[in-house]
Amino acid sequence: MRILKYGVSRTVLISIVIAIIVIASVVGYYIFAIMGQPQVKRSMVIFASISEMTTADPSTEFSNSIRWLPLVYEPLLWYDPLKDEFIPALAERYESKDEGRTWVFYIRRGAKFHDGTPVTAYAVKLSIERTIALGQGAAFIWSPVEEIEVVDDYTVVFRLKYPAPLDKIAASAYGAYIFSPKVVELAGAKNLTDPKVAEWFNRGNDAGSGPYRLAKWEPETEVILEKWPDWWGWKLPDYPLKSDKAPDIYILKIIKDAVTQERLLLAGDIDVAQYVPLEDIEKLKSDPRLKVVVKPSFQNLLMLINTKKPPLDNILVRRAIAHAIPYEDIVKIARSGLARIASGPIPYGMWGHFDNLTYTYNLDLAKKLLAEAGYPNGIDRTLLLVYTAGDIYEKRTAELIAINLAKIGINVEIRPMSWEEQWALAQRGWEDPEAVQDLFLFYWWPTYITPFDFLYNMFHSDSKAFNLCYYENPEFEKLIIEASILEGYDEAKALELYYKAQKILYEDVPAVPLWDMIYVEVGSKRVGNLDKAINPAYPTAIFAQVLSIEE
Amino acid sequence: MDLEEITSILRLIKLNPLSIVGIAIVATFITLGIISPYIVPYPADAWGYSYNLETRLLPPSSKYLFGTDEMGRDLFSRVLLGTRFSLIIAIGVVGIALAIGIVVGLIAGYMGGSIAMILMRITDMFLAFPPLLLAIAFAATLGRGLVNVIIALALSWWPWYARLIYIQVNSVKNLPFIDAARVIGLSTTKIMFRHILPNSLTPIIIQAALDMGSAILEAAGLSFLGIGVPPPIPEWGLLISQGWALINRAWWLSLFPGIAIVITVIGFNLLADTFQEIMDPRLRSTMVMRGI
Amino acid sequence: MPINREYIVKRAISLIFVVLGVIVITFIITRVIPARPELLWAGPHATIEQIERARRELHLDKPIHIQLWYYFTDLFTGNWGISWRTRMPILPSILGALPATLELVVFAFILAIAIGIPLGISAAIRRGSSVDNIIRIFSVSGASTPVFWLALLLQLVLCNWLGLLPAAKRVDEYIVLSTGFRPITGFYIIDSLIQGNMLVFIDVVKRIFLPAIVLSLYPMCLSIRMTRALTLEVLSELHVRSSIAWGIPRNRVLYRYVLKNVLAPVIASLGLSFGYTVVGAFMVEIIFVWPGIGYYTAMSLLSYDYPAIIGCIIFVAILYSIINTIVDLIHAIIDPRVKL
């Protein structure tokens, strides 16, 4: 056997050596070939999106497709909430009459849809009427509208049932996009509300008038947009929402985790990452190839309290909880400092936000309040706190809350649930508050920029879907309804009422606002104007037309 | 087992250093699984009852052997406590799967006929799924939780045992001593459990040892896919997947729990190899090693 | 070589049986275990109307055997439901993702065989030596390593720290768009060669390498173990020794007797490990952003997209059964010793 042993093993060794040589030479050839090839430069930006796209129908889309909709479609107006001013889009100018009951929009002449048809008042009417008729997504924003009247080709009048800030509604991030009426014909549909139109959109077609058009639609992996040279904005020298060096091609690449986004960004595989591990931001800031843009957002995290389930139906217990939460530690640990401690349910930077509505973290006060409420030794029941599985910021926040509530004698079980389970569970709370969660970590961000959106959805008893505190307070409800009407014509008075309403929430504690998120985007240096391309009123969208690509 | 047999087994083990390594790993794992809650250096960190702003994301040091996580907790304590959960999962999964498998396999093997056909066809249906895939289906349906993970894995696993036992029983049941037992009028159950089962156990024990490791691996896989054990349980797979979010900043968070898994599973695999050598060398290469 | 028709028919019938079994089991998992399947099916934010529609679509108002019948017919007519994550029909999404996964898995298997068989043979030849022990330790530890963990670490070290390989993605969009590359078959390696697009080809190979190595680990270890065991058997067979005595050159002994006898059973055994590899791809693809079935499934799992999860499970299980059948048949054809 000895001869055989050596003989065979040598053959094997030789074959392995040959294999290694072959592989090495092939790899070497590739590396050589790559070095020899000049890198092709194209004006292109790849943007990493954390979630896949949803529908491509501008009327019903109410989710992730916002990342590209504002590039392909335009509303009547854009809104810059940080400066509190409007930027004209398809409407060149507008006016309101009758104490906010009538709004007249003058449509831009020369604007065209991608299919060549001109943008007219008629198209505006049809688009918005389709959105209202379908009644999905953000269609509710148009509920004040009584009728839409076309005066001439370039003048459209909205008559409202009651005063409302229609300029802000028309600048909504969802449900306010104008599209070509030709879709009926192109989709072979009977009318605009025919499901065939939605199917046509979801096959990757667009009917917008914006600076980009949809070139490839693979909602689960990538979406490619192509610059549309005929956009009216490119020709307007002073238009603020554009750049002469805007990318020719804009790619949305779906990359579902922060670490991979960061890695691809560092490798130059993508140009803009929206989610990178927050712990790494300091390191990324010092990287000369990158630029970190930090902007306030209107997204906040709240802990909704089940106000109908003992002992949480007791205001003093709720106040004790509010004072037992370490807001500063949560911001530092959960978000690595990239959030602001919340002050009331309206996020920082938004009209209607007030600075004096933060609870102090004071365990002694919390214990005292709990004792006053009749629980000097803490609560004998374990409270259930639910949060959305997979969200590490919520997870860390939940753990920190649980650890601190334990210090005042309130035991909390934290349970990650999928969003739909969580929501289905919470829905039952209106009928049977005893059977559902006690505490609920909950993100909110507005559809269009008004405090009413936050206050109504989460705290008005008619909003059964999202008022998951099960909070009912007629005084509060009257205040916010009144304020929302005043917002249409008397902002100062509206602001006063919004403050009163928030003060009530501060005292009643149906929910504890935890933090207002700060958005972070990291881009490669060659992508200029990244900070200008971000607008918190259109969360997660990047206005690629504003970017300036340095080659 | 008489003295002679034991000494011969010991000699065999002594001959193979890998066997000793395997036995040592498994013994350590089981011991740690039992005593870890009492010996972890930072119990509050291990169970997730604490946080510390000052000690966030520290690299490994003498104070924190495996470093600390984003909440400032000692990772060593968490990994150590993780042995307890891995042990629970391993025993739970193999135990339940074995129980179902033995009952189905014995009944099918001993009864034969159409009962065997039906039972084995059902078994085959389960075996048609790639491993772990069925567990994913069950776990996704049942929802997250330690018990659900164990049930999901056990439900997808019993057919392996059922078939193994079925084959064994078939090879044993016509041996003369079984006939003898039948002739003296022993009841069917008695024959099955007293005479047939003990004589079919060898390959099953090997497979079970192998599967302890696989159960840990697959539970980790479920955790990684987000349908396994929920936090703050310091299950190893979950620790790895949580560490993934910070891997560029803190590599230790994913490295150490992974090493714990690899060492433990190697231990069980080596142990299974050893059993195989001792009990039935002919079985070499017929055993299937699972993995993810 | 005569092909046994009876065997093929038998195998085909058993395949049909297995596929039916897969369908029945998934039916039980989706319709019988959950308390209210329509809630899982309708997804988050579902209105009462949508839930009612899901109920009708699932035929939950009918007796269970009728439901099963509809379940069958829906699956066979391609009506696999709508993903509520993407609002797209599921089957086309899965089929669209299939080439990416197959490309990765095939590449991984080629690596596994190309590395595993030589290692297994050399371990067997030097049985008991330190080389044998090292290879054995490698094969045991390889099968004991969670693929997702290995993928994370290799990605961290090779891509992030050393910068040797691209971190993730299947192909670079810059190169694709600037060279006008168009997928034809969906297998990018083949497509780029057909089009003579070397830039894309190089990029694709660079990017497939790391995920494929990680995925190949399990089948590689399995083939090492199988090869080693089989080589030992072959070597102990008398005629090999006698052929040496007759003076046939040694390397021909190796090829004729060892490799020939080992190759077929090893490849056949890898059919089984195809299942592990595809499931391993669930985790590897998510780490490397590889747009295949694994990525689709993992994404569906992360968002609890129930209809899509079940669709993927049925698809992979059926694919697995078909591939196993094909491997068995090929094995039977090339290796006449297999009992027919």
Side-chain angles (χ1 to χ4, degrees), chain B residues 16-18 121-122 124-134 136-144 155 160 217-218 220-222 224-227 237 240-241 244 247-248 251 254-259 261-263 265-267 269-270 273 276-277 284-285 287-292, chain C residues 17-18 20-26 29-30 33-34 40 127 133 136-137 139-141 143-149 152-153 155-156 160-161 218 221-222 225-226 228-229 232-233 272 274-276 279-280 282-283 286-287 297-298 301-302 304 306 309-310 312-314 316-317 320-321:
Chain B
N16 190 345
L18 289 181
R121 287 289 150 156
I122 294 173
D124 283 344
M125 283 185 194
F126 277 83
L127 289 173
F129 286 88
L132 196 59
L133 195 69
L134 202 54
I136 290 173
F138 279 117
T141 308
L142 294 170
R144 288 181 89 159
L155 281 181
W160 296 85
L217 264 185
E218 299 204 348
L222 290 181
F224 186 78
L225 288 171
I227 48 174
I240 296 176
S241 100
W244 182 26
I247 194 166
N248 292 341
W251 47 268
S254 341
L255 179 73
F256 291 111
I259 290 178
I261 294 180
V262 174
I263 291 177
V265 179
I266 287 179
N269 283 343
L270 291 176
D273 266 6
Q276 211 165 292
E277 293 277 326
R284 185 189 65 223
S285 88
M287 286 290 122
V288 182
M289 228 198 299
R290 293 152 180 273
I292 324 181
Chain C
F17 174 78
V18 159
L20 293 184
V22 164
I23 294 173
V24 169
I25 289 175
T26 53
I29 292 174
T30 54
I33 295 177
L40 282 169
R127 188 184 191 185
N133 275 334
R136 277 182 68 193
I137 292 171
S139 71
V140 171
S141 37
S144 310
T145 307
V147 283
F148 59 89
W149 178 70
L152 288 180
L153 287 192
Q155 197 189 38
L156 178 73
N160 230 41
W161 290 357
Y218 179 74
C221 293
L222 198 71
R225 285 169 74 88
M226 285 291 295
R228 182 176 175 278
L232 286 176
E233 267 168 39
L272 183 75
F274 173 82
Y276 297 99
V279 177
F282 286 13
M283 295 162 217
I286 183 177
I287 291 168
T297 316
L301 281 169
L302 287 182
Y304 268 83
Y306 199 69
I309 295 170
I310 296 304
C312 294
I313 284 168
I314 297 173
V316 172
Y320 172 67
S321 313

Side-chain angles (χ1 to χ4, degrees), chain A residues 128-416:
Chain A
I128 294 170
E129 280 180 353
R130 173 172 189 263
T131 303
I132 295 172
L134 291 176
Q136 292 171 36
F140 61 87
I141 60 172
W142 299 107
S143 51
V145 174
E146 172 92 57
E147 70 169 324
I148 304 172
E149 189 190 320
V150 175
V151 177
D152 58 51
D153 271 3
Y154 296 100
T155 314
V156 59
V157 175
F158 290 76
R159 294 190 205 289
L160 308 190
K161 299 171 202 154
Y162 46 86
L166 200 74
D167 43 2
K168 284 186 186 162
I169 294 173
S172 163
Y174 304 98
Y177 297 105
I178 309 303
F179 45 85
S180 167
K182 215 178 164 186
V183 288
V184 179
E185 186 186 316
L186 292 170
K190 288 194 290 289
N191 52 43
L192 274 169
T193 49
D194 191 330
K196 275 188 181 160
V197 176
E199 281 165 27
W200 183 82
F201 279 124
N202 282 323
R203 281 199 300 271
N205 298 303
D206 84 68
S209 60
Y212 287 87
R213 50 185 315 175
L214 204 51
K216 183 178 178 195
W217 171 248
E218 277 180 12
E220 289 145 53
T221 50
E222 65 184 5
V223 175
I224 300 183
L225 306 184
E226 231 167 30
K227 197 172 184 172
W228 188 56
D230 292 343
W231 180 50
W232 56 269
W234 302 127
K235 298 159 201 157
L236 222 63
D238 301 327
Y239 191 60
L241 271 182
K242 66 133 194 192
S243 143
D244 295 334
K245 290 194 210 155
D248 296 326
I249 290 171
Y250 182 71
I251 301 176
L252 281 151
K253 182 93 195 155
I254 287 106
I255 295 161
K256 295 268 298 191
D257 77 284
V259 181
T260 313
Q261 289 201 2
E262 180 184 16
R263 236 172 237 169
L264 291 173
L265 183 71
L266 289 169
D269 271 339
I270 58 171
D271 301 301
V272 182
Q274 205 160 28
Y275 287 84
V276 293
L278 299 174
E279 285 74 12
D280 295 353
I281 291 292
E282 285 311 311
K283 206 168 76 189
L284 295 175
K285 272 184 183 162
S286 61
D287 191 317
R289 295 167 299 168
L290 301 177
K291 197 165 44 187
V292 177
V293 177
V294 172
K295 267 217 170 171
S297 82
F298 296 158
Q299 180 176 357
N300 57 2
L301 185 73
L302 302 96
M303 182 171 75
L304 308 184
I305 302 177
N306 182 341
T307 56
K308 289 234 158 75
K309 185 173 175 185
L312 300 172
D313 55 347
N314 184 332
I315 288 189
L316 290 171
V317 174
R318 299 206 293 268
R319 279 189 201 156
I321 288 175
H323 287 290
I325 293 173
Y327 301 95
E328 214 180 312
D329 292 354
I330 289 178
V331 165
K332 277 188 188 145
I333 290 181
R335 291 281 302 173
S336 285
L338 287 160
R340 271 181 78 97
I341 296 173
S343 169
I346 311 297
Y348 172 77
M350 209 177 111
W351 182 81
H353 170 90
F354 295 93
D355 268 337
N356 56 349
L357 297 171
T358 307
Y359 298 102
T360 50
Y361 171 53
N362 185 338
L363 290 177
D364 293 330
L365 175 61
K367 277 182 199 148
K368 212 180 104 210
L369 285 166
L370 209 54
E372 263 176 57
Y375 302 94
N377 303 318
I379 290 167
D380 51 4
R381 184 166 73 79
T382 297
L383 303 186
L384 176 64
L385 187 161
V386 296
Y387 71 94
T388 313
D391 186 314
I392 58 170
Y393 311 126
E394 281 193 31
K395 172 191 158 272
R396 294 174 190 165
T397 305
E399 288 187 26
L400 293 173
I401 290 173
I403 291 166
N404 277 280
L405 288 183
K407 291 179 187 163
I408 61 166
I410 300 177
N411 286 318
V412 177
E413 181 204 338
I414 58 172
R415 188 183 296 168

